[in-house]
Amino acid sequence: MSVEPKLKRFNQNVLSKYQIYNSVFMTLPFETLSKTVVLLPLFYETCKKGFDRHEDPTTIIDTFFKKYQGRRSEESQINLLFRFIQYIERQVVLFDAVEDAAFPVVNNMEGVGTLRSLKGNARVDNKLELLRECLEAFKVRIVLTAHPTQFYPGAVLGIITDLAEAIKNDNLTEIKSLLGQLGKTPFFKDKKPTPYDEAVNLVWYLKNVFYHSFGGIYDYVQENIFDSKEIENPIVNIGFWPGGDRDGNPFVTPQITLDVARKLKESVIKSYIKDVKYLRRRLTFRGIRERIIDLNHRLHNTLLHKEESLRITLTEFREELFSIREILIREHQSLFVDKVTTLINRTTLFGYHFASLDIRQDSRVHDAMFRALVAELIENGSDLFPKDFFDLPLETQLNHLSEVKGLIPNDIEFKNEMAVNVVETIKAMKTIQDKNGEIACNRYIISNNQTTLNVLQLFAMLKIVAFGDSLTADVVPLFETVTDLEASPKVMEDLYINPNYRKHLEERGNKQTIMLGFSDGTKDGGYLMANWGIFRAKEALTELSRKYGIDVIFFDGRGGPPARGGGKTHQFYASLGPTVEDKEIQLTIQGQTISSNFGTIESSRYNMEQLISSGISNRLNDKNLKMEPADKEVMDSLANISYQTYVDFKKHPKFLSYLEHMSTLKYYAKTNIGSRPSKRGKSEGLVFSDLRAIPFVGSWSQLKQNVPGFYGVGTALKHFEDKGEFEKVQHLYQTSRFFRALIANSMMSLSKSFFNLTRYMSEDPEYGEFWKTIYAEYETTKRLILKLSGLKELMEDEPVAKASIAVRESIVLPLLTIQQYALKKIQELEKVEVKDLDKIKIFEKMVTRSLFGNINASRNSA
């Protein structure tokens, strides 16, 4: 049977269904809804035609009210705009649910990049044994972060899930009820969530999605690739940052960390209890039924923290399952063996930890903590550090840190708050390992890592506070800025040649995890330089680690959009080539990237299989993906030119004030979507180094300018065009999958840009020239990317993604118009001598409320 083209499947199963169910939504018997739904299409048309005529948002909204609602008072007009915002937010939710429901229909769940395809290709090429060898060593870890890029509260996420299921089954009665529920459910949070709240929200995905999708992947690999034999390698696992990531978040305390670890353990045991209850209904055979009942009781006792003898350890639980499976095979014709194997596999993947809780802190904070800790130890007469430690030469300090032995005496009570915090945090790590297993909390990440000292300070603190000579935790430096990336090989070589740190690595299997930050890298150095700088750093660190016999594992700190290392991650990992170590793929997943790429069992399984395949296919492929020296020269030149262009752009005297006064930057803190403060420092004014990557990138996205995803790319390409050497870039594009992946992601950023929205700024006496600078770079980048790719339109080669973006952008066009209108009103009201503070407050609320739908519609915009 022939399969219809993907775009046709999208139009039938997404676009058509959305239009049908949106019309159902419009007929719900809610007060004020009828007028809103009648007027919204008229407002959309006014916006569309107005922007085509290069009108500004104020003119567009004034035109709408004059033409269709001339008798409305100003207060009534504002109320209608707020109702438009509320309705559009819910339209976005509906479209999300329709896309989620259609995911397995639109995407080929057995096509290129899936495990079935990987296995089929390996069999054809006689590489099945090689595939098994790869899967016995290869791992993918996705790390769920609490970074605030998700505007849906938990209640709305539940509605999306149920709505998607109802749409999948075309259950109109249920759909109407859920749309009614959606209409009544608030999106806005009155107060910021706590770090524990954030953890609870993400545990929902662990229980409802990953437990099943990851379990299904592991079952498939075992049954179909390993012929049902045991696999020594878990292949997929999950990291977890909520409750552990204290970088810039003062609300993450040691107690929060312990509470989150407890919640994770309780959640996975509850999932096991559900599976054991299912087995209890099926394994009714003599000699087995009693053992299943006993398992059920002991898991409950473990969950309720009953006395030790009544509980069951993970090892005992697994041994009992293996024993039961053996009896089923031997005495009961293997009835329901597959169900028992599935549960065994889930214990392999999730243990008693569910997800591995990472601890993360900034190196500058660590340094202050370390100094406070050592100062108090010296004051208390401890001999762990000499009294003149801070006066010693750096080399002597480093040596002492690497070889310090002994534990801090229990009778020392620290007074300095920073010393107390780091001591209690490290003790919490040890406690979590004792209760949930070592993997439950065995990594401490140092963000903004700049020096060898940053690493060894933490190395020493871990040992003297809780672990002693048996350090069952990894120190993970995170290199972020362009400067830090360049310094990273020197830092790591210092560690590799240090005999005490090297001994620690040997005890940890000669593995070193190094994290690289795309978000702050892009904010610091621009799109091309960040990505190329990280690639070159990975090459240098790979060569260095191989020289010293260390397996380096790269952990990528990626955001949702291309500007923060997101976008088409599968293509990125498939493009790295032999000069970058790829035995494991590790990356952060956050905000709406979790809900869009891993929000359902189908999408989670599909995208995880794509990641596995992208890492494995490099090893199965005989083609040499190594970039040639001439191509590297071109890439170096492109990166350097784009970097200088971006740096010059940042130095523009209007750069920060434009963001502060013309964008939504300062409104992010008012959305109450994350527990972290919106900036790092405590300065009153806007300081670039204090600015977090999320509101920085998100603000450009709200302006529909997406600067971090393309700025500097056009100028770099134009340099080669002007020199008559554009064929060199074209050769790079044709031969380098890495460069093609970068260009494809930048193309996505350009596709989501819409400069007509802010064209009115070109006439602004203060910011007009600055806006024109951005627009000129956009036009140059768009023209030359199309020339480079040979396409006539952006994303022409990805019709479904292009169509999805087009629908989402059309849904939020009125929302964007309202946001810009409100920003303009605020600017006008603030300029007058006697300020109407009540009106300013209303329009500020309008800007904040409009953030929600815009971010959610983009799915990877912050």
Side-chain angles (χ1 to χ4, degrees), residues 654-668 686 691 694-705 757-758 760-761 767 770 774 819-820 822-824 826-827 830 844 847-848 850-851:
K654 297 298 179 189
F655 180 81
L656 280 178
S657 62
Y658 180 81
L659 274 176
E660 192 168 16
H661 299 296
M662 305 299 278
S663 83
T664 58
L665 182 67
K666 61 188 175 188
Y667 297 94
Y668 267 78
L686 186 61
L691 195 55
I694 290 168
F696 175 72
V697 173
S699 297
W700 289 112
S701 172
Q702 294 284 319
L703 285 167
K704 304 312 288 180
Q705 292 176 0
L757 178 71
T758 56
Y760 71 93
M761 293 182 189
Y767 298 108
F770 186 73
I774 299 168
Q819 185 183 87
Q820 285 298 316
L823 283 168
K824 190 77 173 141
I826 293 165
Q827 290 163 17
E830 285 181 339
E844 284 183 336
V847 173
T848 305
S850 64
L851 286 168

Side-chain angles (χ1 to χ4, degrees), residues 86 89-90 93 151-153 156 182 185-189 849 852 856:
Q86 292 169 335
E89 282 173 346
R90 286 152 179 80
V93 171
F151 281 69
Y152 291 141
V156 175
L182 184 63
T185 302
F187 279 46
F188 191 78
K189 297 174 183 177
R849 293 291 284 109
F852 288 54
N856 290 329

Side-chain angles (χ1 to χ4, degrees), residues 118 254 339 382 415 483 501 516 529 534 591 615 693 748 775 807:
L118 192 67
K339 305 300 181 188
S382 167
K415 298 181 183 68
T483 306
Y501 191 82
L516 302 157
M529 178 55 91
I534 286 172
M748 185 192 290
Y775 183 59
V807 176

Side-chain angles (χ1 to χ4, degrees), residues 362-371 373-374 385 389-390 394 397-398 401-402 404 422 426 446 449 451-465 475 495:
D362 187 279
S363 64
R364 293 160 292 191
V365 178
H366 259 142
D367 184 65
M369 287 175 159
F370 174 77
R371 288 175 178 277
L373 177 71
V374 173
F385 291 89
F389 177 78
F390 293 114
L394 178 61
Q397 286 188 35
L398 294 174
L401 289 169
S402 72
V404 65
V422 75
I426 292 170
I446 314 166
N449 196 97
T451 64
T452 310
L453 181 65
N454 294 150
V455 177
L456 290 181
Q457 282 176 340
L458 176 59
F459 180 64
M461 285 194 289
L462 287 167
K463 291 199 294 182
I464 65 174
V465 170
V475 181
L495 294 168

